[in-house]
PDB file of all heavy atoms in Angstrom:
ATOM      1  N   ALA A   1      -9.155   4.523  -5.262  1.00  0.00           N
ATOM      2  CA  ALA A   1     -10.229   4.166  -4.335  1.00  0.00           C
ATOM      3  C   ALA A   1     -10.119   2.744  -3.808  1.00  0.00           C
ATOM      4  O   ALA A   1     -10.745   2.407  -2.795  1.00  0.00           O
ATOM      5  CB  ALA A   1     -11.578   4.364  -5.015  1.00  0.00           C
ATOM      6  N   SER A   2      -9.327   1.904  -4.457  1.00  0.00           N
ATOM      7  CA  SER A   2      -9.200   0.517  -4.003  1.00  0.00           C
ATOM      8  C   SER A   2      -8.415   0.398  -2.706  1.00  0.00           C
ATOM      9  O   SER A   2      -8.429  -0.657  -2.062  1.00  0.00           O
ATOM     10  CB  SER A   2      -8.520  -0.321  -5.089  1.00  0.00           C
ATOM     11  OG  SER A   2      -7.228   0.198  -5.377  1.00  0.00           O
ATOM     12  N   ILE A   3      -7.711   1.487  -2.314  1.00  0.00           N
ATOM     13  CA  ILE A   3      -6.967   1.490  -1.056  1.00  0.00           C
ATOM     14  C   ILE A   3      -7.590   2.529  -0.139  1.00  0.00           C
ATOM     15  O   ILE A   3      -7.727   3.700  -0.510  1.00  0.00           O
ATOM     16  CB  ILE A   3      -5.481   1.828  -1.268  1.00  0.00           C
ATOM     17  CG1 ILE A   3      -4.843   0.904  -2.312  1.00  0.00           C
ATOM     18  CG2 ILE A   3      -4.719   1.721   0.052  1.00  0.00           C
ATOM     19  CD1 ILE A   3      -3.390   1.234  -2.615  1.00  0.00           C
ATOM     20  N   THR A   4      -7.976   2.107   1.046  1.00  0.00           N
ATOM     21  CA  THR A   4      -8.571   3.039   2.008  1.00  0.00           C
ATOM     22  C   THR A   4      -7.753   3.046   3.295  1.00  0.00           C
ATOM     23  O   THR A   4      -7.162   2.038   3.693  1.00  0.00           O
ATOM     24  CB  THR A   4     -10.030   2.663   2.323  1.00  0.00           C
ATOM     25  OG1 THR A   4     -10.087   1.308   2.793  1.00  0.00           O
ATOM     26  CG2 THR A   4     -10.899   2.812   1.088  1.00  0.00           C
ATOM     27  N   THR A   5      -7.742   4.209   3.950  1.00  0.00           N
ATOM     28  CA  THR A   5      -6.986   4.379   5.198  1.00  0.00           C
ATOM     29  C   THR A   5      -7.900   5.062   6.221  1.00  0.00           C
ATOM     30  O   THR A   5      -7.839   6.276   6.408  1.00  0.00           O
ATOM     31  CB  THR A   5      -5.721   5.225   4.951  1.00  0.00           C
ATOM     32  OG1 THR A   5      -6.095   6.467   4.345  1.00  0.00           O
ATOM     33  CG2 THR A   5      -4.756   4.502   4.035  1.00  0.00           C
ATOM     34  N   PRO A   6      -8.749   4.288   6.880  1.00  0.00           N
ATOM     35  CA  PRO A   6      -9.712   4.879   7.828  1.00  0.00           C
ATOM     36  C   PRO A   6      -9.058   5.598   9.004  1.00  0.00           C
ATOM     37  O   PRO A   6      -9.664   6.482   9.604  1.00  0.00           O
ATOM     38  CB  PRO A   6     -10.530   3.682   8.289  1.00  0.00           C
ATOM     39  CG  PRO A   6      -9.690   2.486   7.994  1.00  0.00           C
ATOM     40  CD  PRO A   6      -8.911   2.838   6.774  1.00  0.00           C
ATOM     41  N   ASP A   7      -7.822   5.214   9.326  1.00  0.00           N
ATOM     42  CA  ASP A   7      -7.055   5.940  10.352  1.00  0.00           C
ATOM     43  C   ASP A   7      -5.583   5.767  10.033  1.00  0.00           C
ATOM     44  O   ASP A   7      -5.207   5.048   9.095  1.00  0.00           O
ATOM     45  CB  ASP A   7      -7.395   5.450  11.760  1.00  0.00           C
ATOM     46  CG  ASP A   7      -7.151   3.961  11.960  1.00  0.00           C
ATOM     47  OD1 ASP A   7      -5.991   3.527  11.769  1.00  0.00           O
ATOM     48  OD2 ASP A   7      -8.109   3.228  12.285  1.00  0.00           O
ATOM     49  N   ASP A   8      -4.720   6.399  10.801  1.00  0.00           N
ATOM     50  CA  ASP A   8      -3.290   6.400  10.489  1.00  0.00           C
ATOM     51  C   ASP A   8      -2.621   5.051  10.658  1.00  0.00           C
ATOM     52  O   ASP A   8      -1.482   4.866  10.208  1.00  0.00           O
ATOM     53  CB  ASP A   8      -2.564   7.436  11.364  1.00  0.00           C
ATOM     54  CG  ASP A   8      -2.758   8.855  10.862  1.00  0.00           C
ATOM     55  OD1 ASP A   8      -3.258   9.015   9.728  1.00  0.00           O
ATOM     56  OD2 ASP A   8      -2.404   9.800  11.601  1.00  0.00           O
ATOM     57  N   ASN A   9      -3.322   4.108  11.298  1.00  0.00           N
ATOM     58  CA  ASN A   9      -2.713   2.798  11.552  1.00  0.00           C
ATOM     59  C   ASN A   9      -3.414   1.650  10.833  1.00  0.00           C
ATOM     60  O   ASN A   9      -3.088   0.485  11.078  1.00  0.00           O
ATOM     61  CB  ASN A   9      -2.700   2.509  13.063  1.00  0.00           C
ATOM     62  CG  ASN A   9      -1.774   3.449  13.810  1.00  0.00           C
ATOM     63  OD1 ASN A   9      -0.649   3.687  13.378  1.00  0.00           O
ATOM     64  ND2 ASN A   9      -2.245   4.004  14.916  1.00  0.00           N
ATOM     65  N   THR A  10      -4.350   1.975   9.938  1.00  0.00           N
ATOM     66  CA  THR A  10      -5.102   0.932   9.240  1.00  0.00           C
ATOM     67  C   THR A  10      -5.085   1.198   7.739  1.00  0.00           C
ATOM     68  O   THR A  10      -5.283   2.325   7.294  1.00  0.00           O
ATOM     69  CB  THR A  10      -6.567   0.887   9.722  1.00  0.00           C
ATOM     70  OG1 THR A  10      -6.592   0.730  11.146  1.00  0.00           O
ATOM     71  CG2 THR A  10      -7.313  -0.267   9.078  1.00  0.00           C
ATOM     72  N   ILE A  11      -4.837   0.141   6.959  1.00  0.00           N
ATOM     73  CA  ILE A  11      -4.896   0.246   5.510  1.00  0.00           C
ATOM     74  C   ILE A  11      -5.598  -0.992   4.969  1.00  0.00           C
ATOM     75  O   ILE A  11      -5.330  -2.120   5.400  1.00  0.00           O
ATOM     76  CB  ILE A  11      -3.495   0.402   4.888  1.00  0.00           C
ATOM     77  CG1 ILE A  11      -3.594   0.642   3.370  1.00  0.00           C
ATOM     78  CG2 ILE A  11      -2.582  -0.776   5.202  1.00  0.00           C
ATOM     79  CD1 ILE A  11      -2.301   1.142   2.751  1.00  0.00           C
ATOM     80  N   SER A  12      -6.560  -0.762   4.047  1.00  0.00           N
ATOM     81  CA  SER A  12      -7.344  -1.850   3.466  1.00  0.00           C
ATOM     82  C   SER A  12      -7.269  -1.793   1.945  1.00  0.00           C
ATOM     83  O   SER A  12      -7.199  -0.707   1.350  1.00  0.00           O
ATOM     84  CB  SER A  12      -8.802  -1.774   3.916  1.00  0.00           C
ATOM     85  OG  SER A  12      -8.913  -1.960   5.316  1.00  0.00           O
ATOM     86  N   PHE A  13      -7.309  -2.963   1.327  1.00  0.00           N
ATOM     87  CA  PHE A  13      -7.200  -3.084  -0.125  1.00  0.00           C
ATOM     88  C   PHE A  13      -8.387  -3.875  -0.658  1.00  0.00           C
ATOM     89  O   PHE A  13      -8.732  -4.923  -0.101  1.00  0.00           O
ATOM     90  CB  PHE A  13      -5.912  -3.810  -0.512  1.00  0.00           C
ATOM     91  CG  PHE A  13      -4.648  -3.158  -0.025  1.00  0.00           C
ATOM     92  CD1 PHE A  13      -4.177  -3.391   1.264  1.00  0.00           C
ATOM     93  CD2 PHE A  13      -3.909  -2.325  -0.867  1.00  0.00           C
ATOM     94  CE1 PHE A  13      -3.005  -2.807   1.718  1.00  0.00           C
ATOM     95  CE2 PHE A  13      -2.732  -1.735  -0.420  1.00  0.00           C
ATOM     96  CZ  PHE A  13      -2.281  -1.974   0.868  1.00  0.00           C
ATOM     97  N   LYS A  14      -9.000  -3.399  -1.739  1.00  0.00           N
ATOM     98  CA  LYS A  14     -10.019  -4.146  -2.474  1.00  0.00           C
ATOM     99  C   LYS A  14      -9.462  -4.423  -3.868  1.00  0.00           C
ATOM    100  O   LYS A  14      -9.206  -3.498  -4.638  1.00  0.00           O
ATOM    101  CB  LYS A  14     -11.331  -3.367  -2.553  1.00  0.00           C
ATOM    102  CG  LYS A  14     -12.048  -3.258  -1.217  1.00  0.00           C
ATOM    103  CD  LYS A  14     -13.440  -2.641  -1.372  1.00  0.00           C
ATOM    104  CE  LYS A  14     -14.171  -2.623  -0.035  1.00  0.00           C
ATOM    105  NZ  LYS A  14     -15.553  -2.064  -0.159  1.00  0.00           N
ATOM    106  N   LEU A  15      -9.273  -5.700  -4.162  1.00  0.00           N
ATOM    107  CA  LEU A  15      -8.558  -6.106  -5.362  1.00  0.00           C
ATOM    108  C   LEU A  15      -9.507  -6.444  -6.507  1.00  0.00           C
ATOM    109  O   LEU A  15     -10.647  -6.863  -6.280  1.00  0.00           O
ATOM    110  CB  LEU A  15      -7.664  -7.312  -5.046  1.00  0.00           C
ATOM    111  CG  LEU A  15      -6.782  -7.183  -3.788  1.00  0.00           C
ATOM    112  CD1 LEU A  15      -5.950  -8.445  -3.611  1.00  0.00           C
ATOM    113  CD2 LEU A  15      -5.897  -5.952  -3.857  1.00  0.00           C
ATOM    114  N   GLN A  16      -9.008  -6.308  -7.720  1.00  0.00           N
ATOM    115  CA  GLN A  16      -9.803  -6.635  -8.896  1.00  0.00           C
ATOM    116  C   GLN A  16      -9.955  -8.141  -9.089  1.00  0.00           C
ATOM    117  O   GLN A  16     -10.928  -8.606  -9.675  1.00  0.00           O
ATOM    118  CB  GLN A  16      -9.155  -6.030 -10.150  1.00  0.00           C
ATOM    119  CG  GLN A  16      -9.090  -4.513 -10.160  1.00  0.00           C
ATOM    120  CD  GLN A  16     -10.461  -3.881 -10.259  1.00  0.00           C
ATOM    121  OE1 GLN A  16     -11.313  -4.309 -11.044  1.00  0.00           O
ATOM    122  NE2 GLN A  16     -10.694  -2.847  -9.453  1.00  0.00           N
ATOM    123  N   THR A  17      -8.973  -8.893  -8.598  1.00  0.00           N
ATOM    124  CA  THR A  17      -9.013 -10.347  -8.738  1.00  0.00           C
ATOM    125  C   THR A  17      -8.545 -10.999  -7.441  1.00  0.00           C
ATOM    126  O   THR A  17      -7.855 -10.387  -6.631  1.00  0.00           O
ATOM    127  CB  THR A  17      -8.105 -10.832  -9.891  1.00  0.00           C
ATOM    128  OG1 THR A  17      -6.765 -10.383  -9.653  1.00  0.00           O
ATOM    129  CG2 THR A  17      -8.586 -10.303 -11.220  1.00  0.00           C
ATOM    130  N   SER A  18      -8.889 -12.255  -7.275  1.00  0.00           N
ATOM    131  CA  SER A  18      -8.445 -13.022  -6.118  1.00  0.00           C
ATOM    132  C   SER A  18      -6.919 -13.134  -6.129  1.00  0.00           C
ATOM    133  O   SER A  18      -6.322 -13.494  -7.151  1.00  0.00           O
ATOM    134  CB  SER A  18      -9.060 -14.427  -6.162  1.00  0.00           C
ATOM    135  OG  SER A  18      -8.561 -15.235  -5.126  1.00  0.00           O
ATOM    136  N   THR A  19      -6.299 -12.818  -4.985  1.00  0.00           N
ATOM    137  CA  THR A  19      -4.835 -12.817  -4.921  1.00  0.00           C
ATOM    138  C   THR A  19      -4.377 -13.422  -3.592  1.00  0.00           C
ATOM    139  O   THR A  19      -4.118 -12.711  -2.616  1.00  0.00           O
ATOM    140  CB  THR A  19      -4.277 -11.389  -5.075  1.00  0.00           C
ATOM    141  OG1 THR A  19      -4.831 -10.786  -6.246  1.00  0.00           O
ATOM    142  CG2 THR A  19      -2.762 -11.399  -5.187  1.00  0.00           C
ATOM    143  N   PRO A  20      -4.256 -14.743  -3.544  1.00  0.00           N
ATOM    144  CA  PRO A  20      -3.811 -15.385  -2.302  1.00  0.00           C
ATOM    145  C   PRO A  20      -2.393 -14.979  -1.896  1.00  0.00           C
ATOM    146  O   PRO A  20      -2.031 -15.100  -0.726  1.00  0.00           O
ATOM    147  CB  PRO A  20      -3.868 -16.880  -2.645  1.00  0.00           C
ATOM    148  CG  PRO A  20      -4.862 -16.985  -3.761  1.00  0.00           C
ATOM    149  CD  PRO A  20      -4.667 -15.735  -4.556  1.00  0.00           C
ATOM    150  N   ASP A  21      -1.592 -14.502  -2.850  1.00  0.00           N
ATOM    151  CA  ASP A  21      -0.194 -14.155  -2.570  1.00  0.00           C
ATOM    152  C   ASP A  21      -0.008 -12.693  -2.169  1.00  0.00           C
ATOM    153  O   ASP A  21       1.114 -12.184  -2.209  1.00  0.00           O
ATOM    154  CB  ASP A  21       0.667 -14.423  -3.808  1.00  0.00           C
ATOM    155  CG  ASP A  21       0.689 -15.878  -4.215  1.00  0.00           C
ATOM    156  OD1 ASP A  21       0.533 -16.735  -3.327  1.00  0.00           O
ATOM    157  OD2 ASP A  21       0.853 -16.157  -5.414  1.00  0.00           O
ATOM    158  N   PHE A  22      -1.050 -12.014  -1.761  1.00  0.00           N
ATOM    159  CA  PHE A  22      -0.968 -10.572  -1.546  1.00  0.00           C
ATOM    160  C   PHE A  22       0.037 -10.195  -0.447  1.00  0.00           C
ATOM    161  O   PHE A  22       0.688  -9.148  -0.536  1.00  0.00           O
ATOM    162  CB  PHE A  22      -2.347  -9.992  -1.222  1.00  0.00           C
ATOM    163  CG  PHE A  22      -2.403  -8.492  -1.324  1.00  0.00           C
ATOM    164  CD1 PHE A  22      -2.330  -7.872  -2.556  1.00  0.00           C
ATOM    165  CD2 PHE A  22      -2.529  -7.710  -0.180  1.00  0.00           C
ATOM    166  CE1 PHE A  22      -2.382  -6.482  -2.661  1.00  0.00           C
ATOM    167  CE2 PHE A  22      -2.577  -6.327  -0.271  1.00  0.00           C
ATOM    168  CZ  PHE A  22      -2.503  -5.708  -1.515  1.00  0.00           C
ATOM    169  N   ASP A  23       0.189 -11.019   0.576  1.00  0.00           N
ATOM    170  CA  ASP A  23       1.192 -10.733   1.607  1.00  0.00           C
ATOM    171  C   ASP A  23       2.583 -10.615   0.985  1.00  0.00           C
ATOM    172  O   ASP A  23       3.387  -9.766   1.391  1.00  0.00           O
ATOM    173  CB  ASP A  23       1.205 -11.826   2.678  1.00  0.00           C
ATOM    174  CG  ASP A  23       0.239 -11.548   3.831  1.00  0.00           C
ATOM    175  OD1 ASP A  23      -0.003 -10.367   4.127  1.00  0.00           O
ATOM    176  OD2 ASP A  23      -0.266 -12.516   4.411  1.00  0.00           O
ATOM    177  N   PHE A  24       2.868 -11.471   0.028  1.00  0.00           N
ATOM    178  CA  PHE A  24       4.164 -11.411  -0.634  1.00  0.00           C
ATOM    179  C   PHE A  24       4.323 -10.104  -1.411  1.00  0.00           C
ATOM    180  O   PHE A  24       5.400  -9.507  -1.436  1.00  0.00           O
ATOM    181  CB  PHE A  24       4.350 -12.601  -1.572  1.00  0.00           C
ATOM    182  CG  PHE A  24       4.573 -13.900  -0.864  1.00  0.00           C
ATOM    183  CD1 PHE A  24       3.595 -14.888  -0.864  1.00  0.00           C
ATOM    184  CD2 PHE A  24       5.757 -14.147  -0.191  1.00  0.00           C
ATOM    185  CE1 PHE A  24       3.798 -16.085  -0.212  1.00  0.00           C
ATOM    186  CE2 PHE A  24       5.967 -15.343   0.468  1.00  0.00           C
ATOM    187  CZ  PHE A  24       4.986 -16.321   0.456  1.00  0.00           C
ATOM    188  N   LEU A  25       3.248  -9.673  -2.056  1.00  0.00           N
ATOM    189  CA  LEU A  25       3.297  -8.411  -2.790  1.00  0.00           C
ATOM    190  C   LEU A  25       3.612  -7.253  -1.859  1.00  0.00           C
ATOM    191  O   LEU A  25       4.343  -6.320  -2.209  1.00  0.00           O
ATOM    192  CB  LEU A  25       1.963  -8.173  -3.502  1.00  0.00           C
ATOM    193  CG  LEU A  25       1.887  -6.970  -4.451  1.00  0.00           C
ATOM    194  CD1 LEU A  25       2.897  -7.100  -5.580  1.00  0.00           C
ATOM    195  CD2 LEU A  25       0.482  -6.831  -5.018  1.00  0.00           C
ATOM    196  N   MET A  26       3.096  -7.321  -0.643  1.00  0.00           N
ATOM    197  CA  MET A  26       3.348  -6.255   0.321  1.00  0.00           C
ATOM    198  C   MET A  26       4.766  -6.305   0.902  1.00  0.00           C
ATOM    199  O   MET A  26       5.157  -5.411   1.645  1.00  0.00           O
ATOM    200  CB  MET A  26       2.322  -6.326   1.461  1.00  0.00           C
ATOM    201  CG  MET A  26       0.902  -5.975   1.022  1.00  0.00           C
ATOM    202  SD  MET A  26       0.734  -4.256   0.396  1.00  0.00           S
ATOM    203  CE  MET A  26       0.807  -4.541  -1.401  1.00  0.00           C
ATOM    204  N   SER A  27       5.541  -7.311   0.546  1.00  0.00           N
ATOM    205  CA  SER A  27       6.938  -7.375   0.980  1.00  0.00           C
ATOM    206  C   SER A  27       7.877  -6.709  -0.027  1.00  0.00           C
ATOM    207  O   SER A  27       9.052  -6.472   0.284  1.00  0.00           O
ATOM    208  CB  SER A  27       7.372  -8.830   1.179  1.00  0.00           C
ATOM    209  OG  SER A  27       7.549  -9.494  -0.063  1.00  0.00           O
ATOM    210  N   LEU A  28       7.395  -6.416  -1.235  1.00  0.00           N
ATOM    211  CA  LEU A  28       8.250  -5.813  -2.255  1.00  0.00           C
ATOM    212  C   LEU A  28       8.563  -4.359  -1.895  1.00  0.00           C
ATOM    213  O   LEU A  28       7.725  -3.652  -1.337  1.00  0.00           O
ATOM    214  CB  LEU A  28       7.583  -5.867  -3.630  1.00  0.00           C
ATOM    215  CG  LEU A  28       7.150  -7.235  -4.157  1.00  0.00           C
ATOM    216  CD1 LEU A  28       6.696  -7.104  -5.612  1.00  0.00           C
ATOM    217  CD2 LEU A  28       8.251  -8.263  -4.028  1.00  0.00           C
ATOM    218  N   PRO A  29       9.752  -3.867  -2.237  1.00  0.00           N
ATOM    219  CA  PRO A  29      10.071  -2.465  -1.966  1.00  0.00           C
ATOM    220  C   PRO A  29       9.057  -1.482  -2.540  1.00  0.00           C
ATOM    221  O   PRO A  29       8.819  -0.423  -1.951  1.00  0.00           O
ATOM    222  CB  PRO A  29      11.447  -2.287  -2.619  1.00  0.00           C
ATOM    223  CG  PRO A  29      12.055  -3.642  -2.565  1.00  0.00           C
ATOM    224  CD  PRO A  29      10.911  -4.595  -2.791  1.00  0.00           C
ATOM    225  N   ALA A  30       8.449  -1.825  -3.669  1.00  0.00           N
ATOM    226  CA  ALA A  30       7.468  -0.934  -4.287  1.00  0.00           C
ATOM    227  C   ALA A  30       6.242  -0.726  -3.413  1.00  0.00           C
ATOM    228  O   ALA A  30       5.459   0.207  -3.646  1.00  0.00           O
ATOM    229  CB  ALA A  30       7.046  -1.468  -5.660  1.00  0.00           C
ATOM    230  N   SER A  31       6.051  -1.570  -2.402  1.00  0.00           N
ATOM    231  CA  SER A  31       4.930  -1.417  -1.472  1.00  0.00           C
ATOM    232  C   SER A  31       5.306  -0.590  -0.249  1.00  0.00           C
ATOM    233  O   SER A  31       4.526  -0.487   0.699  1.00  0.00           O
ATOM    234  CB  SER A  31       4.434  -2.796  -1.019  1.00  0.00           C
ATOM    235  OG  SER A  31       3.938  -3.552  -2.104  1.00  0.00           O
ATOM    236  N   ALA A  32       6.496  -0.011  -0.256  1.00  0.00           N
ATOM    237  CA  ALA A  32       6.969   0.740   0.907  1.00  0.00           C
ATOM    238  C   ALA A  32       6.311   2.114   0.996  1.00  0.00           C
ATOM    239  O   ALA A  32       5.936   2.705  -0.014  1.00  0.00           O
ATOM    240  CB  ALA A  32       8.484   0.915   0.829  1.00  0.00           C
ATOM    241  N   PRO A  33       6.177   2.660   2.205  1.00  0.00           N
ATOM    242  CA  PRO A  33       5.627   4.008   2.365  1.00  0.00           C
ATOM    243  C   PRO A  33       6.596   5.072   1.857  1.00  0.00           C
ATOM    244  O   PRO A  33       7.814   4.880   1.859  1.00  0.00           O
ATOM    245  CB  PRO A  33       5.425   4.129   3.880  1.00  0.00           C
ATOM    246  CG  PRO A  33       6.432   3.199   4.470  1.00  0.00           C
ATOM    247  CD  PRO A  33       6.524   2.053   3.511  1.00  0.00           C
ATOM    248  N   VAL A  34       6.023   6.183   1.426  1.00  0.00           N
ATOM    249  CA  VAL A  34       6.780   7.378   1.040  1.00  0.00           C
ATOM    250  C   VAL A  34       6.024   8.574   1.610  1.00  0.00           C
ATOM    251  O   VAL A  34       4.796   8.647   1.480  1.00  0.00           O
ATOM    252  CB  VAL A  34       6.906   7.505  -0.496  1.00  0.00           C
ATOM    253  CG1 VAL A  34       7.543   8.837  -0.877  1.00  0.00           C
ATOM    254  CG2 VAL A  34       7.726   6.344  -1.061  1.00  0.00           C
ATOM    255  N   PRO A  35       6.709   9.517   2.259  1.00  0.00           N
ATOM    256  CA  PRO A  35       6.008  10.698   2.775  1.00  0.00           C
ATOM    257  C   PRO A  35       5.257  11.432   1.668  1.00  0.00           C
ATOM    258  O   PRO A  35       5.731  11.499   0.524  1.00  0.00           O
ATOM    259  CB  PRO A  35       7.141  11.567   3.332  1.00  0.00           C
ATOM    260  CG  PRO A  35       8.224  10.598   3.655  1.00  0.00           C
ATOM    261  CD  PRO A  35       8.143   9.537   2.589  1.00  0.00           C
ATOM    262  N   LEU A  36       4.094  11.977   1.987  1.00  0.00           N
ATOM    263  CA  LEU A  36       3.283  12.635   0.968  1.00  0.00           C
ATOM    264  C   LEU A  36       3.998  13.813   0.325  1.00  0.00           C
ATOM    265  O   LEU A  36       3.727  14.156  -0.824  1.00  0.00           O
ATOM    266  CB  LEU A  36       1.943  13.087   1.562  1.00  0.00           C
ATOM    267  CG  LEU A  36       0.825  12.034   1.593  1.00  0.00           C
ATOM    268  CD1 LEU A  36       1.208  10.812   2.422  1.00  0.00           C
ATOM    269  CD2 LEU A  36      -0.471  12.628   2.123  1.00  0.00           C
ATOM    270  N   THR A  37       4.915  14.426   1.064  1.00  0.00           N
ATOM    271  CA  THR A  37       5.713  15.521   0.504  1.00  0.00           C
ATOM    272  C   THR A  37       7.029  15.000  -0.067  1.00  0.00           C
ATOM    273  O   THR A  37       7.871  15.805  -0.502  1.00  0.00           O
ATOM    274  CB  THR A  37       6.009  16.575   1.582  1.00  0.00           C
ATOM    275  OG1 THR A  37       6.662  15.944   2.692  1.00  0.00           O
ATOM    276  CG2 THR A  37       4.723  17.234   2.055  1.00  0.00           C
ATOM    277  N   GLU A  38       7.215  13.680  -0.045  1.00  0.00           N
ATOM    278  CA  GLU A  38       8.445  13.012  -0.487  1.00  0.00           C
ATOM    279  C   GLU A  38       9.636  13.614   0.253  1.00  0.00           C
ATOM    280  O   GLU A  38       9.645  13.637   1.477  1.00  0.00           O
ATOM    281  CB  GLU A  38       8.541  13.062  -2.012  1.00  0.00           C
ATOM    282  CG  GLU A  38       7.329  12.372  -2.637  1.00  0.00           C
ATOM    283  CD  GLU A  38       7.419  12.103  -4.112  1.00  0.00           C
ATOM    284  OE1 GLU A  38       8.529  12.012  -4.654  1.00  0.00           O
ATOM    285  OE2 GLU A  38       6.343  11.972  -4.742  1.00  0.00           O
ATOM    286  N   ASN A  39      10.616  14.152  -0.443  1.00  0.00           N
ATOM    287  CA  ASN A  39      11.772  14.719   0.257  1.00  0.00           C
ATOM    288  C   ASN A  39      12.110  16.082  -0.316  1.00  0.00           C
ATOM    289  O   ASN A  39      13.216  16.330  -0.813  1.00  0.00           O
ATOM    290  CB  ASN A  39      12.982  13.779   0.167  1.00  0.00           C
ATOM    291  CG  ASN A  39      14.108  14.177   1.107  1.00  0.00           C
ATOM    292  OD1 ASN A  39      13.940  15.066   1.943  1.00  0.00           O
ATOM    293  ND2 ASN A  39      15.249  13.533   0.973  1.00  0.00           N
ATOM    294  N   GLY A  40      11.139  16.971  -0.273  1.00  0.00           N
ATOM    295  CA  GLY A  40      11.355  18.344  -0.740  1.00  0.00           C
ATOM    296  C   GLY A  40      11.716  18.386  -2.208  1.00  0.00           C
ATOM    297  O   GLY A  40      10.977  17.900  -3.060  1.00  0.00           O
ATOM    298  N   ALA A  41      12.882  18.954  -2.512  1.00  0.00           N
ATOM    299  CA  ALA A  41      13.328  19.063  -3.900  1.00  0.00           C
ATOM    300  C   ALA A  41      13.615  17.695  -4.505  1.00  0.00           C
ATOM    301  O   ALA A  41      13.545  17.516  -5.723  1.00  0.00           O
ATOM    302  CB  ALA A  41      14.577  19.939  -3.976  1.00  0.00           C
ATOM    303  N   ASN A  42      13.929  16.718  -3.658  1.00  0.00           N
ATOM    304  CA  ASN A  42      14.171  15.359  -4.136  1.00  0.00           C
ATOM    305  C   ASN A  42      12.853  14.590  -4.162  1.00  0.00           C
ATOM    306  O   ASN A  42      12.598  13.703  -3.340  1.00  0.00           O
ATOM    307  CB  ASN A  42      15.187  14.651  -3.237  1.00  0.00           C
ATOM    308  CG  ASN A  42      16.571  15.233  -3.373  1.00  0.00           C
ATOM    309  OD1 ASN A  42      17.000  15.577  -4.470  1.00  0.00           O
ATOM    310  ND2 ASN A  42      17.274  15.370  -2.263  1.00  0.00           N
ATOM    311  N   ALA A  43      12.020  14.959  -5.112  1.00  0.00           N
ATOM    312  CA  ALA A  43      10.697  14.337  -5.256  1.00  0.00           C
ATOM    313  C   ALA A  43      10.571  13.762  -6.665  1.00  0.00           C
ATOM    314  O   ALA A  43      11.375  14.046  -7.552  1.00  0.00           O
ATOM    315  CB  ALA A  43       9.598  15.356  -4.992  1.00  0.00           C
TER     316      ALA A  43
END
């Protein structure tokens, strides 16, 4: 619930603690998108 997507082009985050470095966190590969179905058998 801390991440909301009101439309396909907007994403919002509500954090448990103050995080001035959050832009940097969003640069990590772990923050990358993945299709909801992933890649079929390769999921």
Side-chain angles (χ1 to χ4, degrees):
S2 60
I3 306 177
T4 56
T5 55
D7 58 59
D8 282 348
N9 293 315
T10 305
I11 185 166
S12 296
F13 301 84
K14 290 188 176 182
L15 311 180
Q16 297 293 316
T17 57
S18 175
T19 308
D21 298 331
F22 194 70
D23 271 330
F24 288 109
L25 187 61
M26 292 298 99
S27 73
L28 304 188
S31 297
V34 173
L36 275 60
T37 56
E38 301 192 24
N39 192 8
N42 291 321

